[in-house]
PDB file of all heavy atoms in Angstrom:
ATOM      1  N   PRO A1181     -11.287  -8.310 -13.064  1.00  0.00           N
ATOM      2  CA  PRO A1181     -10.665  -7.763 -14.292  1.00  0.00           C
ATOM      3  C   PRO A1181     -11.649  -7.153 -15.305  1.00  0.00           C
ATOM      4  O   PRO A1181     -11.271  -6.348 -16.149  1.00  0.00           O
ATOM      5  CB  PRO A1181      -9.960  -9.047 -14.850  1.00  0.00           C
ATOM      6  CG  PRO A1181      -9.737  -9.879 -13.772  1.00  0.00           C
ATOM      7  CD  PRO A1181     -10.948  -9.665 -12.824  1.00  0.00           C
ATOM      8  N   PRO A1186      -8.767   0.003 -19.425  1.00  0.00           N
ATOM      9  CA  PRO A1186      -7.959  -0.599 -20.471  1.00  0.00           C
ATOM     10  C   PRO A1186      -6.388  -0.443 -20.167  1.00  0.00           C
ATOM     11  O   PRO A1186      -5.701  -1.379 -20.437  1.00  0.00           O
ATOM     12  CB  PRO A1186      -8.417   0.159 -21.718  1.00  0.00           C
ATOM     13  CG  PRO A1186      -9.676   0.734 -21.499  1.00  0.00           C
ATOM     14  CD  PRO A1186      -9.745   1.033 -19.929  1.00  0.00           C
ATOM     15  N   ARG A1189      -5.464  -3.038 -17.829  1.00  0.00           N
ATOM     16  CA  ARG A1189      -5.455  -4.422 -18.401  1.00  0.00           C
ATOM     17  C   ARG A1189      -4.320  -4.669 -19.379  1.00  0.00           C
ATOM     18  O   ARG A1189      -3.670  -5.739 -19.418  1.00  0.00           O
ATOM     19  CB  ARG A1189      -6.796  -4.759 -19.046  1.00  0.00           C
ATOM     20  CG  ARG A1189      -7.921  -5.017 -17.946  1.00  0.00           C
ATOM     21  CD  ARG A1189      -9.180  -5.405 -18.635  1.00  0.00           C
ATOM     22  NE  ARG A1189      -9.933  -4.238 -19.028  1.00  0.00           N
ATOM     23  CZ  ARG A1189     -10.347  -3.912 -20.283  1.00  0.00           C
ATOM     24  NH1 ARG A1189     -10.043  -4.669 -21.228  1.00  0.00           N
ATOM     25  NH2 ARG A1189     -10.978  -2.847 -20.499  1.00  0.00           N
ATOM     26  N   TYR A1204     -13.913   4.404 -13.972  1.00  0.00           N
ATOM     27  CA  TYR A1204     -14.082   3.422 -15.027  1.00  0.00           C
ATOM     28  C   TYR A1204     -15.112   2.365 -14.640  1.00  0.00           C
ATOM     29  O   TYR A1204     -15.937   2.047 -15.310  1.00  0.00           O
ATOM     30  CB  TYR A1204     -12.792   2.851 -15.543  1.00  0.00           C
ATOM     31  CG  TYR A1204     -12.899   1.937 -16.668  1.00  0.00           C
ATOM     32  CD1 TYR A1204     -12.856   2.509 -17.967  1.00  0.00           C
ATOM     33  CD2 TYR A1204     -13.035   0.636 -16.475  1.00  0.00           C
ATOM     34  CE1 TYR A1204     -12.969   1.761 -19.110  1.00  0.00           C
ATOM     35  CE2 TYR A1204     -13.099  -0.182 -17.673  1.00  0.00           C
ATOM     36  CZ  TYR A1204     -13.096   0.308 -18.922  1.00  0.00           C
ATOM     37  OH  TYR A1204     -13.173  -0.513 -19.964  1.00  0.00           O
ATOM     38  N   LEU A1208     -18.866   1.500 -16.103  1.00  0.00           N
ATOM     39  CA  LEU A1208     -19.208   0.239 -16.653  1.00  0.00           C
ATOM     40  C   LEU A1208     -20.424  -0.351 -16.007  1.00  0.00           C
ATOM     41  O   LEU A1208     -21.345  -0.876 -16.591  1.00  0.00           O
ATOM     42  CB  LEU A1208     -18.037  -0.824 -16.502  1.00  0.00           C
ATOM     43  CG  LEU A1208     -16.963  -0.602 -17.428  1.00  0.00           C
ATOM     44  CD1 LEU A1208     -15.830  -1.746 -17.149  1.00  0.00           C
ATOM     45  CD2 LEU A1208     -17.398  -0.726 -18.836  1.00  0.00           C
ATOM     46  N   TYR A1211     -23.445   1.525 -17.233  1.00  0.00           N
ATOM     47  CA  TYR A1211     -23.789   0.946 -18.583  1.00  0.00           C
ATOM     48  C   TYR A1211     -24.574  -0.329 -18.464  1.00  0.00           C
ATOM     49  O   TYR A1211     -25.558  -0.546 -19.141  1.00  0.00           O
ATOM     50  CB  TYR A1211     -22.517   0.830 -19.398  1.00  0.00           C
ATOM     51  CG  TYR A1211     -22.732   0.206 -20.742  1.00  0.00           C
ATOM     52  CD1 TYR A1211     -23.149   1.045 -21.786  1.00  0.00           C
ATOM     53  CD2 TYR A1211     -22.662  -1.077 -21.008  1.00  0.00           C
ATOM     54  CE1 TYR A1211     -23.343   0.568 -23.093  1.00  0.00           C
ATOM     55  CE2 TYR A1211     -22.894  -1.623 -22.251  1.00  0.00           C
ATOM     56  CZ  TYR A1211     -23.293  -0.794 -23.260  1.00  0.00           C
ATOM     57  OH  TYR A1211     -23.504  -1.285 -24.575  1.00  0.00           O
ATOM     58  N   GLU A1212     -24.040  -1.236 -17.560  1.00  0.00           N
ATOM     59  CA  GLU A1212     -24.737  -2.542 -17.434  1.00  0.00           C
ATOM     60  C   GLU A1212     -26.160  -2.373 -16.850  1.00  0.00           C
ATOM     61  O   GLU A1212     -27.050  -2.998 -17.349  1.00  0.00           O
ATOM     62  CB  GLU A1212     -23.917  -3.487 -16.443  1.00  0.00           C
ATOM     63  CG  GLU A1212     -22.686  -3.933 -16.992  1.00  0.00           C
ATOM     64  CD  GLU A1212     -21.761  -4.761 -16.070  1.00  0.00           C
ATOM     65  OE1 GLU A1212     -22.070  -4.651 -14.817  1.00  0.00           O
ATOM     66  OE2 GLU A1212     -20.886  -5.391 -16.525  1.00  0.00           O
ATOM     67  N   LEU A1214     -28.023   0.316 -17.289  1.00  0.00           N
ATOM     68  CA  LEU A1214     -28.980   0.912 -18.252  1.00  0.00           C
ATOM     69  C   LEU A1214     -29.340  -0.024 -19.388  1.00  0.00           C
ATOM     70  O   LEU A1214     -30.374   0.097 -19.857  1.00  0.00           O
ATOM     71  CB  LEU A1214     -28.278   2.217 -18.821  1.00  0.00           C
ATOM     72  CG  LEU A1214     -28.173   3.377 -17.892  1.00  0.00           C
ATOM     73  CD1 LEU A1214     -27.264   4.499 -18.465  1.00  0.00           C
ATOM     74  CD2 LEU A1214     -29.593   3.980 -17.608  1.00  0.00           C
ATOM     75  N   ARG A1218     -24.308  -7.579 -19.246  1.00  0.00           N
ATOM     76  CA  ARG A1218     -23.246  -7.801 -18.406  1.00  0.00           C
ATOM     77  C   ARG A1218     -21.932  -7.934 -19.165  1.00  0.00           C
ATOM     78  O   ARG A1218     -21.863  -8.760 -20.059  1.00  0.00           O
ATOM     79  CB  ARG A1218     -23.604  -8.964 -17.404  1.00  0.00           C
ATOM     80  CG  ARG A1218     -22.327  -9.326 -16.545  1.00  0.00           C
ATOM     81  CD  ARG A1218     -22.730  -9.513 -15.231  1.00  0.00           C
ATOM     82  NE  ARG A1218     -21.441  -9.658 -14.486  1.00  0.00           N
ATOM     83  CZ  ARG A1218     -21.358  -9.869 -13.335  1.00  0.00           C
ATOM     84  NH1 ARG A1218     -22.403  -9.806 -12.550  1.00  0.00           N
ATOM     85  NH2 ARG A1218     -20.180 -10.030 -12.725  1.00  0.00           N
ATOM     86  N   ARG A1219     -20.832  -7.324 -18.644  1.00  0.00           N
ATOM     87  CA  ARG A1219     -19.557  -7.549 -19.282  1.00  0.00           C
ATOM     88  C   ARG A1219     -19.085  -8.858 -18.946  1.00  0.00           C
ATOM     89  O   ARG A1219     -19.103  -9.444 -17.857  1.00  0.00           O
ATOM     90  CB  ARG A1219     -18.584  -6.501 -18.702  1.00  0.00           C
ATOM     91  CG  ARG A1219     -19.076  -5.093 -18.945  1.00  0.00           C
ATOM     92  CD  ARG A1219     -18.754  -4.483 -20.257  1.00  0.00           C
ATOM     93  NE  ARG A1219     -17.368  -4.420 -20.413  1.00  0.00           N
ATOM     94  CZ  ARG A1219     -16.744  -4.425 -21.516  1.00  0.00           C
ATOM     95  NH1 ARG A1219     -17.383  -4.478 -22.689  1.00  0.00           N
ATOM     96  NH2 ARG A1219     -15.419  -4.234 -21.640  1.00  0.00           N
ATOM     97  N   LEU A1221     -15.984 -11.793 -19.192  1.00  0.00           N
ATOM     98  CA  LEU A1221     -14.606 -12.122 -19.384  1.00  0.00           C
ATOM     99  C   LEU A1221     -14.509 -13.289 -20.373  1.00  0.00           C
ATOM    100  O   LEU A1221     -15.371 -14.142 -20.290  1.00  0.00           O
ATOM    101  CB  LEU A1221     -13.997 -12.668 -18.106  1.00  0.00           C
ATOM    102  CG  LEU A1221     -13.908 -11.618 -16.985  1.00  0.00           C
ATOM    103  CD1 LEU A1221     -13.393 -12.342 -15.628  1.00  0.00           C
ATOM    104  CD2 LEU A1221     -12.896 -10.559 -17.259  1.00  0.00           C
ATOM    105  N   GLY A1226      -5.489 -18.743 -23.514  1.00  0.00           N
ATOM    106  CA  GLY A1226      -5.088 -19.002 -22.187  1.00  0.00           C
ATOM    107  C   GLY A1226      -5.079 -17.666 -21.333  1.00  0.00           C
ATOM    108  O   GLY A1226      -4.725 -17.700 -20.210  1.00  0.00           O
ATOM    109  N   ALA A1232     -13.151  -4.260 -25.487  1.00  0.00           N
ATOM    110  CA  ALA A1232     -13.374  -2.844 -25.266  1.00  0.00           C
ATOM    111  C   ALA A1232     -14.881  -2.463 -25.324  1.00  0.00           C
ATOM    112  O   ALA A1232     -15.585  -3.046 -26.188  1.00  0.00           O
ATOM    113  CB  ALA A1232     -12.603  -2.031 -26.251  1.00  0.00           C
ATOM    114  N   GLU A1234     -17.764  -0.214 -26.387  1.00  0.00           N
ATOM    115  CA  GLU A1234     -18.040   0.836 -27.337  1.00  0.00           C
ATOM    116  C   GLU A1234     -19.458   1.348 -27.124  1.00  0.00           C
ATOM    117  O   GLU A1234     -20.450   0.645 -27.356  1.00  0.00           O
ATOM    118  CB  GLU A1234     -17.939   0.332 -28.829  1.00  0.00           C
ATOM    119  CG  GLU A1234     -16.471   0.012 -29.186  1.00  0.00           C
ATOM    120  CD  GLU A1234     -16.450  -0.454 -30.642  1.00  0.00           C
ATOM    121  OE1 GLU A1234     -17.222  -0.009 -31.433  1.00  0.00           O
ATOM    122  OE2 GLU A1234     -15.439  -1.237 -30.817  1.00  0.00           O
ATOM    123  N   PRO A1236     -22.634   3.413 -27.864  1.00  0.00           N
ATOM    124  CA  PRO A1236     -23.236   4.016 -29.012  1.00  0.00           C
ATOM    125  C   PRO A1236     -23.587   5.489 -28.653  1.00  0.00           C
ATOM    126  O   PRO A1236     -24.196   5.777 -27.633  1.00  0.00           O
ATOM    127  CB  PRO A1236     -24.461   3.222 -29.305  1.00  0.00           C
ATOM    128  CG  PRO A1236     -24.771   2.572 -28.044  1.00  0.00           C
ATOM    129  CD  PRO A1236     -23.482   2.381 -27.241  1.00  0.00           C
ATOM    130  N   VAL A1245     -33.771   7.812 -21.559  1.00  0.00           N
ATOM    131  CA  VAL A1245     -32.394   8.254 -20.977  1.00  0.00           C
ATOM    132  C   VAL A1245     -31.776   8.985 -22.224  1.00  0.00           C
ATOM    133  O   VAL A1245     -31.567   8.409 -23.222  1.00  0.00           O
ATOM    134  CB  VAL A1245     -31.585   7.074 -20.583  1.00  0.00           C
ATOM    135  CG1 VAL A1245     -30.164   7.533 -20.156  1.00  0.00           C
ATOM    136  CG2 VAL A1245     -32.210   6.306 -19.510  1.00  0.00           C
ATOM    137  N   ARG A1248     -27.018  12.139 -24.073  1.00  0.00           N
ATOM    138  CA  ARG A1248     -25.956  12.781 -23.325  1.00  0.00           C
ATOM    139  C   ARG A1248     -25.295  11.916 -22.354  1.00  0.00           C
ATOM    140  O   ARG A1248     -24.141  11.925 -22.079  1.00  0.00           O
ATOM    141  CB  ARG A1248     -26.494  14.131 -22.581  1.00  0.00           C
ATOM    142  CG  ARG A1248     -25.450  14.842 -21.758  1.00  0.00           C
ATOM    143  CD  ARG A1248     -24.410  15.505 -22.589  1.00  0.00           C
ATOM    144  NE  ARG A1248     -23.460  16.145 -21.730  1.00  0.00           N
ATOM    145  CZ  ARG A1248     -22.198  15.948 -21.755  1.00  0.00           C
ATOM    146  NH1 ARG A1248     -21.620  15.059 -22.612  1.00  0.00           N
ATOM    147  NH2 ARG A1248     -21.393  16.588 -20.912  1.00  0.00           N
ATOM    148  N   VAL A1249     -26.105  10.994 -21.720  1.00  0.00           N
ATOM    149  CA  VAL A1249     -25.596  10.020 -20.875  1.00  0.00           C
ATOM    150  C   VAL A1249     -24.581   9.139 -21.558  1.00  0.00           C
ATOM    151  O   VAL A1249     -23.548   8.747 -21.030  1.00  0.00           O
ATOM    152  CB  VAL A1249     -26.707   9.153 -20.289  1.00  0.00           C
ATOM    153  CG1 VAL A1249     -26.216   7.987 -19.445  1.00  0.00           C
ATOM    154  CG2 VAL A1249     -27.561  10.042 -19.382  1.00  0.00           C
ATOM    155  N   GLU A1251     -22.600   9.992 -24.028  1.00  0.00           N
ATOM    156  CA  GLU A1251     -21.398  10.740 -24.177  1.00  0.00           C
ATOM    157  C   GLU A1251     -20.596  10.633 -22.884  1.00  0.00           C
ATOM    158  O   GLU A1251     -19.268  10.521 -22.905  1.00  0.00           O
ATOM    159  CB  GLU A1251     -21.702  12.162 -24.610  1.00  0.00           C
ATOM    160  CG  GLU A1251     -22.373  12.330 -25.879  1.00  0.00           C
ATOM    161  CD  GLU A1251     -22.893  13.773 -26.120  1.00  0.00           C
ATOM    162  OE1 GLU A1251     -22.404  14.625 -25.420  1.00  0.00           O
ATOM    163  OE2 GLU A1251     -23.795  13.879 -26.997  1.00  0.00           O
ATOM    164  N   THR A1257     -15.235   5.674 -20.131  1.00  0.00           N
ATOM    165  CA  THR A1257     -14.717   4.313 -20.451  1.00  0.00           C
ATOM    166  C   THR A1257     -13.702   4.378 -21.596  1.00  0.00           C
ATOM    167  O   THR A1257     -13.196   3.367 -22.037  1.00  0.00           O
ATOM    168  CB  THR A1257     -15.824   3.381 -20.769  1.00  0.00           C
ATOM    169  OG1 THR A1257     -16.546   3.876 -21.968  1.00  0.00           O
ATOM    170  CG2 THR A1257     -16.691   3.126 -19.588  1.00  0.00           C
ATOM    171  N   SER A1258     -13.381   5.664 -22.055  1.00  0.00           N
ATOM    172  CA  SER A1258     -12.474   5.743 -23.198  1.00  0.00           C
ATOM    173  C   SER A1258     -11.007   5.271 -22.716  1.00  0.00           C
ATOM    174  O   SER A1258     -10.537   5.422 -21.600  1.00  0.00           O
ATOM    175  CB  SER A1258     -12.421   7.221 -23.620  1.00  0.00           C
ATOM    176  OG  SER A1258     -11.433   7.381 -24.562  1.00  0.00           O
ATOM    177  N   PRO A1261      -8.458   9.121 -21.524  1.00  0.00           N
ATOM    178  CA  PRO A1261      -9.318   9.916 -20.695  1.00  0.00           C
ATOM    179  C   PRO A1261      -9.316  11.402 -21.002  1.00  0.00           C
ATOM    180  O   PRO A1261     -10.145  12.179 -20.332  1.00  0.00           O
ATOM    181  CB  PRO A1261      -8.829   9.600 -19.335  1.00  0.00           C
ATOM    182  CG  PRO A1261      -7.437   9.100 -19.521  1.00  0.00           C
ATOM    183  CD  PRO A1261      -7.367   8.500 -20.894  1.00  0.00           C
ATOM    184  N   SER A1262      -8.474  11.944 -21.859  1.00  0.00           N
ATOM    185  CA  SER A1262      -8.461  13.343 -22.091  1.00  0.00           C
ATOM    186  C   SER A1262      -9.547  13.728 -23.119  1.00  0.00           C
ATOM    187  O   SER A1262      -9.755  14.942 -23.418  1.00  0.00           O
ATOM    188  CB  SER A1262      -7.094  13.710 -22.775  1.00  0.00           C
ATOM    189  OG  SER A1262      -6.868  13.188 -23.972  1.00  0.00           O
TER     190      SER A1262
END
Side-chain angles (χ1 to χ4, degrees):
R1189 284 187 275 121
Y1204 185 85
L1208 286 181
Y1211 179 84
E1212 289 178 344
L1214 288 170
R1218 175 130 184 178
R1219 303 278 292 157
L1221 292 175
E1234 294 183 28
V1245 177
R1248 174 69 179 125
V1249 171
E1251 296 170 21
T1257 58
S1258 171
S1262 67

